[in-house]
Structures are given as structure tokens and as C-alpha cells.
Amino acid sequence: MTDRTTLLQEVAQALRDNGLASAVTALVGGGIALLASATRKAFTNDAMLARLDRELIAERNRVDRQRAEDRKGDADRLERIEADIRAMRDLMFEAFQRGRTD
């Protein structure tokens, strides 16, 4: 057989060796260990959620900055296009005026 024993076997052995008080102590100790494990896991999950929130805020800020830069670039490009259209319109108007006076 194996040298390893299960929790139930250990509790049964403690009950046989030391009576009910020892078994209750072992059961309470196991319960406290279980609560400690659950509490640690809960705090770990909270820390992970807080870290994910920080990362999400940083990513949103990065995307917002990128959008602002893209909007500025689009506005500059639109301004250049409009200036080119005005210049072309003025050039065509001048050419049309010269053509009529000749």
C-alpha cells in the first residue's frame, strides 16, 4: 500500500488515538485552512481585476490619444484639399476671364 493517507483516514486515526477532542480540532483546523485559502483566492482575484482595470484605462487613454492625432491629421489634410480647390477655382476663373477679354 502507499504511505500517503487521506484527510478522512487521518481524522479517523486521530479519533481512535485521542478521542473526539482531537478530531474536532483537526476538523476546525481544516475548516480554517479552507477559509484561508478561499480568502487568499478572493484577494488574488480582486488584485487581478484591479490590474486589469488599470490596463484597460491605459489602453483607453492610448486609443483616445491616437484618435485625437488621427482627427488632427484628417483636419489638416481636409484644409489642404480645400486650399487646393480654392486655388484651382481661382486659377480657372482667371483663365476664363483672360480668355473672354482676348
Side-chain angles (χ1 to χ4, degrees):
M1 295 289 245
T2 63
D3 291 337
R4 297 184 62 178
T5 58
T6 65
L7 179 63
L8 186 57
Q9 290 171 338
E10 289 178 12
V11 170
Q13 184 64 36
L15 186 60
R16 272 183 263 145
D17 292 346
N18 301 314
L20 185 60
S22 179
V24 169
T25 302
L27 191 59
V28 168
I32 291 172
L34 185 62
L35 286 174
S37 173
T39 303
R40 182 183 54 80
K41 189 172 237 18
F43 282 121
T44 301
N45 287 342
D46 286 344
M48 185 171 33
L49 288 174
R51 190 191 80 208
L52 288 173
D53 283 343
R54 287 190 306 270
E55 289 176 2
L56 181 61
I57 289 169
E59 183 64 18
R60 281 183 184 157
N61 290 338
R62 186 193 68 75
V63 168
D64 288 343
R65 282 192 307 272
Q66 184 64 45
R67 283 184 184 154
E69 289 175 12
D70 290 347
R71 276 189 240 118
K72 185 180 180 321
D74 289 344
D76 292 344
R77 188 170 39 254
L78 182 60
E79 188 176 321
R80 286 192 307 271
I81 290 170
E82 288 174 349
D84 289 345
I85 290 171
R86 280 193 301 274
M88 185 58 75
R89 184 193 65 207
D90 292 343
L91 184 65
M92 290 175 66
F93 182 74
E94 286 178 26
F96 181 72
Q97 291 297 331
R98 271 190 257 137
R100 294 192 93 180
T101 58
D102 289 341

